[in-house]
Amino acid sequence: MDRTVITVAPTGAESSKADVPALPVTLAELVTTARDCAAVGASVVHVHIRDDEARPTLALGRLRETVAALRAETDLIVQLSTGGAVTDGEADRLAVLDAEPDMASCTMGTVNFGRDVFCNRWDFIVELHTRMRDRRIVPEYELFDLGHVASLHRLLDRHGLPYGGHVHVDLVMGVPGGMPGTAAAMVAAVAELPVGATFSATGVGRSTLPVALAALSTGGHLRVGMEDSLSYAPGRPVRNNTELVARAAGLARVAQRPPMAVAEVRALLGIRDDSAAALTR
Ligand code: KMH
Ligand code: ZN
């Protein structure tokens, strides 16, 4: 693996605009952010959207409009979150797929999430996985804990490979309640991944840099963004998503694994051709 896939997760569902004014919450802010992040090395955008009051929403019309705008204004691979906020119900989370993104997240189990619980029942996971394959959407399996790796094996053994035939996961590390954001935890998780799977890693909060460095040294890819980190350094808040992507791209270059071009990422992950073709329409 001589290049690095950089995913930006610019918004998330947990931070409020009032607390974090730099958070992109409108469609215009999201598109500008995506364009700026693409310019410094991002190839995938992991998207949570907000309503007119900047609250997390899974409104389908707004999701469709977001996918269309990101496709029109950037060449990024558009990955919608099916995780949403911890308060979102299963029906709304499944309906995210009706917005026809290139990719969508698929979390591989329930996890404590700070004082909340991020609930992902087995039957719900199977439904997400199956619907994504039917709709030719490439999943990114989100693993918050080591047990989620075992669930991924069970899913693939019982229900087959995802659309595109390639398995890509994101290790979400350092969530209070999930696996810690340490090199030791990463090595343990990576050792158990399915043969041929690729992985990116995200270190929440203070684990951002240790996780990024460990991912680069174990052949992994990077996810960064204000969904996961609001602090650039001790006492220095993140100014915008672009600086997080630029720093990740810099680390990748130092590791002699510079950012991978979007076309190459599309081929690696098995993204359907017609979504790329839609860019040129
Ligand atoms: N907001 C978290 C509860 C995902 O995007 O799929 C879930 C999350 C995972 O962010
Ligand atoms: Zn997310």
Side-chain angles (χ1 to χ4, degrees):
M1 195 57 71
D2 64 349
R3 305 228 160 225
T4 304
V5 179
I6 299 180
T7 298
V8 60
T11 308
E14 280 70 42
S15 298
S16 75
K17 182 77 168 171
D19 291 342
V20 188
L23 201 68
V25 295
T26 67
L27 183 53
E29 286 170 347
L30 178 63
V31 167
T32 302
T33 296
R35 216 189 280 133
D36 292 348
C37 290
V40 294
S43 48
V44 181
V45 58
H46 168 87
V47 178
H48 292 252
I49 61 165
R50 301 294 177 100
D51 66 14
D52 288 338
E53 277 75 49
R55 294 173 305 213
T57 178
L58 296 179
L60 186 55
R62 209 175 261 257
L63 284 169
R64 284 205 173 108
E65 195 188 352
T66 302
V67 171
L70 288 169
R71 287 216 177 109
E73 301 294 331
T74 77
D75 68 349
L76 290 172
I77 295 165
V78 180
Q79 179 190 108
L80 291 184
S81 166
T82 66
V86 288
T87 45
D88 285 320
E90 291 181 353
D92 288 341
R93 290 173 58 192
L94 285 166
V96 166
L97 303 180
D98 295 343
E100 299 178 29
D102 304 318
M103 296 182 81
S105 56
C106 179
T107 295
M108 288 310 305
T110 296
V111 63
N112 283 328
F113 198 83
R115 299 180 65 203
D116 297 309
V117 176
F118 179 31
C119 188
N120 295 282
R121 292 182 315 115
W122 174 251
D123 289 347
F124 173 69
I125 294 169
V126 171
E127 189 63 32
L128 262 182
H129 169 81
T130 310
R131 282 199 202 185
M132 281 194 216
R133 187 168 51 217
D134 292 348
R135 289 155 196 236
R136 303 190 303 145
I137 296 168
V138 172
E140 178 175 272
Y141 299 104
E142 308 281 346
L143 312 179
F144 287 71
D145 217 340
L146 205 49
H148 293 186
V149 190
S151 294
L152 176 62
H153 280 281
R154 186 166 175 242
L155 181 75
L156 300 174
D157 288 349
R158 295 189 181 186
H159 298 280
L161 288 169
Y163 174 73
H166 177 76
V167 176
H168 180 70
V169 314
D170 182 46
L171 304 173
V172 187
M173 310 182 75
V175 168
M179 64 183 144
T182 61
M186 184 177 299
V187 168
V190 170
E192 299 299 325
L193 291 180
V195 173
T198 50
F199 76 97
S200 63
T202 311
V204 170
R206 271 184 230 154
S207 66
T208 298
L209 282 172
V211 164
L213 293 167
L216 286 168
S217 65
T218 48
H221 302 281
L222 303 178
R223 177 177 120 170
V224 294
M226 293 177 75
E227 173 167 346
D228 305 321
S229 337
L230 295 170
S231 171
Y232 191 85
R236 185 345 205 131
V238 169
R239 293 195 185 107
N240 52 51
N241 283 281
T242 315
E243 67 175 4
L244 292 173
V245 174
R247 180 168 68 176
L251 295 176
R253 285 193 190 92
V254 167
Q256 300 186 353
R257 293 186 44 212
M260 194 182 285
V262 179
E264 215 182 321
V265 181
R266 285 181 185 276
L268 173 72
L269 301 180
I271 308 292
R272 63 185 194 273
D273 285 343
D274 53 348
S275 64
L279 294 170
T280 56
R281 260 180 236 140

